[in-house]
Amino acid sequence: MIDGAMPDPGIQVRPATRDDFESIDRIAGANGEPTTAPRWPGYLYLDHLLAEATLLVAERDGAIIGYAGAAVVGGPRPAAHVTDLFVDPEAYGQGAGGRLLRGLFEAVDVADWTTSSSADPRALTLYARSGMQPVWPILYLEAPLTLPVPDTAAEWWPGRAKSGEVGPGDTSALELTWSGRDFAAHYRHWASRPGGVAFRVEVDGRAVAVGAVRDGRMGPGRVLDHLAIAPDADPRLALVTALRSTPVRTPSPQPDPAARLRFTLGGPHPAVALLLALGCRITDHDTFCTTAPELVDPARVVPDPSFG
Ligand SMILES: CC(C)(COP(=O)(O)OP(=O)(O)OC[C@H]1O[C@@H](n2cnc3c(N)ncnc32)[C@H](O)[C@@H]1OP(=O)(O)O)[C@@H](O)C(=O)NCCC(=O)NCCS
């Protein structure tokens, strides 16, 4: 699928096992993206990938020099999301990343692919050459835990917003009817993370959003892992209502002035300007890449960079 990549016969790609986790985490950490964290038990993230996704490693001379993962989002039109693609910095640019990506394409039998690409030109090149077009920026946003009510509230703020915890199966079932995308396995994982809950937001008795939120992994606060917005809801109203909902704002056990709410948003989401005016800060950005730009509507999702 990748034009021009010359296979290096010294690099072998194979499925990962739990024995590889230490090497995988070392490579992830060397790239500034450790898979483990003081606030997380064991290999929570890698265990999920091993159970529910495809996880590959690249080896050379018996040493692991890279790893990659892909998780399928089900539904009538299943698509695989590249969760991870990382190479040991000492082996950058020697073909391991291309081999790993090709390994994922061979291992996962779906037509459509998505990912959140870093700004690394090697990553964007590998994705774009394999048909995953860079389509919009993914902004990493950070806000005070209690987002202020917008000035425009009088015009459009809902009278009867209600939110609460629901089962992960309820959120995934509703999202499947809204977008045709089935995140059931991922909702189970998101809700199992420390402080994690699946939740639903209603305005005037109608569900406008479902999502999953949890405690911060590295520092105090909350992380909105994923949110889906109903097709008939105002995306600004639904998003801001969800961000101000009780499951999202519930602080980590100890109240902490440094606590923040972290989430991502596609650049084209209509609430971006409003959220920045309300005090949200951009801390980083990736690029959403896909073989099928019509598959994900950036106005209707808070995407998890790892799972979509
Ligand atoms: C991104 C990454 C996984 C790629 O793996 P890699 O082994 O370094 O990449 P490869 O050598 O297989 O392929 C890179 C390709 O990009 C090409 N390339 C490099 N710089 C380029 C540029 N500026 N413009 C266009 N092409 C470029 C290389 O020529 C190579 O293509 P070729 O094999 O046809 O010569 C690796 O560099 C990495 O871990 N980067 C840091 C972490 C990261 O950002 N990961 C991506 C997360 S989404």
Side-chain angles (χ1 to χ4, degrees):
M1 224 171 158
I2 303 169
D3 295 331
M6 287 298 292
D8 172 350
I11 297 175
Q12 307 290 330
V13 169
R14 63 163 173 82
T17 72
R18 217 166 184 279
D19 292 340
D20 301 321
F21 282 3
E22 205 179 317
S23 302
I24 289 174
D25 194 46
R26 177 183 52 77
I27 290 168
N31 282 287
E33 304 266 358
T35 65
T36 53
R39 292 168 171 240
W40 273 22
Y43 290 110
L44 183 67
Y45 175 71
L46 292 177
D47 274 331
H48 173 63
L49 288 186
L50 204 56
E52 300 284 353
T54 298
L55 186 60
L56 304 177
V57 290
E59 278 180 321
R60 187 166 57 195
D61 301 329
I64 292 177
I65 57 165
Y67 80 98
V72 172
V73 176
R77 187 175 172 180
H81 188 85
V82 178
T83 61
D84 299 75
L85 181 63
F86 291 105
V87 166
D88 188 323
E90 293 194 3
Y92 283 170
Q94 297 165 28
R99 289 291 310 276
L100 282 161
L101 193 56
R102 199 161 63 241
L104 292 178
F105 295 145
E106 284 164 10
V108 185
D109 186 18
V110 293
D112 293 318
W113 287 78
T114 58
T115 198
S116 308
S117 176
S118 74
D120 189 322
R122 291 169 291 233
L124 280 165
T125 296
L126 290 175
Y127 294 135
R129 277 196 331 211
S130 61
M132 297 163 75
Q133 190 188 345
V135 285
W136 30 265
I138 298 174
L139 307 175
Y140 288 72
L141 296 168
E142 195 180 281
L145 207 51
T146 303
L147 195 73
V149 179
D151 284 345
T152 50
E155 289 164 40
W156 56 278
W157 195 250
R160 290 180 298 280
K162 208 175 93 185
S163 61
E165 185 177 340
V166 293
D170 299 324
T171 46
S172 54
L174 208 47
E175 180 162 357
L176 180 59
T177 66
W178 289 345
S179 68
R181 311 201 74 210
D182 185 356
F183 284 89
H186 303 319
Y187 271 110
R188 284 195 297 275
H189 172 62
W190 288 319
S192 78
R193 292 172 165 189
V197 291
F199 68 100
R200 166 186 167 120
V201 182
E202 290 178 8
V203 171
D204 294 331
R206 272 185 28 239
V208 297
V210 289
V213 63
R214 57 161 166 104
D215 288 341
R217 193 170 73 119
M218 304 303 225
R222 302 283 279 168
V223 176
L224 179 61
D225 275 325
H226 179 88
L227 189 82
I229 294 172
D232 56 352
D234 176 324
R236 282 195 317 162
L237 176 63
L239 179 68
V240 177
T241 307
L243 293 176
R244 289 181 50 81
S245 69
T246 308
V248 171
R249 286 187 298 123
T250 302
S252 353
Q254 311 298 327
D256 189 327
R260 290 286 178 274
L261 169 61
R262 295 181 177 84
F263 59 100
T264 65
L265 208 53
H269 193 286
V272 166
L274 172 69
L275 290 172
L276 293 172
L278 287 176
C280 285
R281 308 285 297 171
I282 298 173
T283 59
D284 200 357
H285 59 88
D286 280 346
T287 303
F288 188 75
C289 299
T290 178
T291 57
E294 70 285 4
L295 198 60
V296 179
D297 179 352
R300 306 262 156 216
V301 70
V302 165
D304 178 340
S306 293
F307 297 113

